[in-house]
Amino acid sequence: MTEIFSHTACRQLSQLFLAIIFFHCSEYLLAMVIHGRSSVTLKSLLISRQYILAMFISFVEYYIEIAYLPELKEQWVISNLGLTLVVIGEIIRKVAIITAGKSFTHLIRIYYDENHQLITHGIYRFVRHPGYSGFLIWSVGTQIMLCNPISTIAFAVVVWHFFAKRIPYEEFFLRQFFGADYNEYAQRVVSGVPFVK
């Protein structure tokens, strides 16, 4: 039990809690600033039952490993790499949201809106879905930061699978809205999620 109150656990878990709080609060605040308070719901916090379950499982893994394999959590190079990925993922996602402005929403648009524009400048010059890239890096980074090998793999697989399904669905509508312009853009710029075209 004392391992959970060790310096290592206190540092890693406090970094995780700060990362989670900052990620979700900043998502909500940015949505309010960009779209107005009346247009934003609690869905902009991006907290679902599946997300809570995933984080709970990662805490269970962390607790078991720190109790029975405390040396696993002392891999500071790995933990600091995870922290770096958390920061990089956060920056990529927030730059994507700010660059897209009113064109960025947490829900996929299935109807055209005059505020919705095809964004191809800034970070979107290099990646079609930088918000998804940022979240993938951030979420996997949280588990690397905790030195959670099982959750690192699980988060990578589950988040990748989610975006592998979401991107084609979203791009179906983007092609409906922007036609040849989107096709040309999609041919020259990568999706930003590995192995998703």
Side-chain angles (χ1 to χ4, degrees):
M1 187 60 143
T2 57
E3 289 86 358
I4 203 70
F5 298 110
S6 70
H7 170 73
T8 298
C10 289
R11 177 182 163 187
Q12 289 170 333
L13 292 173
S14 64
Q15 286 174 174
L16 178 67
F17 287 124
L18 287 171
I20 290 170
I21 290 166
F22 183 83
F23 178 86
H24 294 288
C25 290
S26 62
E27 288 283 316
Y28 186 79
L29 290 172
L30 274 175
M32 274 195 344
V33 168
I34 292 168
H35 296 288
R37 187 175 182 154
S38 62
S39 301
V40 177
T41 67
L42 288 178
K43 288 185 178 181
S44 291
L45 284 171
L46 299 182
I47 298 174
S48 66
R49 280 179 276 164
Q50 295 89 344
Y51 177 83
I52 292 169
L53 178 62
M55 283 299 179
F56 175 76
I57 290 169
S58 80
F59 287 126
V60 169
E61 177 185 354
Y62 188 85
Y63 181 75
I64 290 170
E65 289 170 355
I66 203 158
Y68 296 102
L69 298 166
E71 65 279 359
L72 180 66
K73 303 305 180 187
E74 298 292 339
Q75 305 301 315
W76 287 109
V77 171
I78 293 171
S79 186
N80 289 337
L81 170 64
L83 177 59
T84 302
L85 290 173
V86 166
V87 172
I88 290 169
E90 184 74 56
I91 290 169
I92 291 170
R93 184 162 174 90
K94 295 315 187 271
V95 166
I97 293 171
I98 292 166
T99 302
K102 289 194 180 284
S103 293
F104 187 95
T105 59
H106 287 115
L107 302 175
I108 293 174
R109 288 188 177 159
I110 59 174
Y111 300 106
Y112 182 73
D113 177 317
E114 68 267 0
N115 290 324
H116 194 190
Q117 299 173 355
L118 178 58
I119 307 298
T120 60
H121 63 279
I123 195 167
Y124 290 86
R125 280 185 295 163
F126 309 104
V127 180
R128 291 195 317 267
H129 299 282
Y132 298 160
S133 303
F135 184 79
L136 178 61
I137 294 166
W138 180 88
S139 64
V140 173
T142 63
Q143 299 311 302
I144 294 173
M145 184 174 69
L146 294 179
C147 297
N148 272 358
I150 297 167
S151 291
T152 296
I153 294 166
F155 273 51
V157 169
V158 169
V159 174
W160 179 87
H161 183 70
F162 175 78
F163 289 137
K165 291 172 80 175
R166 185 177 174 102
I167 287 172
Y169 179 71
E170 181 174 353
E171 290 193 342
F172 169 81
F173 293 105
L174 290 169
R175 284 184 169 87
Q176 299 290 314
F177 303 153
F178 303 112
D181 288 342
Y182 192 82
N183 285 330
E184 187 273 326
Y185 173 63
Q187 285 178 349
R188 66 182 164 80
V189 178
V190 297
S191 74
V193 175
F195 310 111
V196 177
K197 291 188 177 189

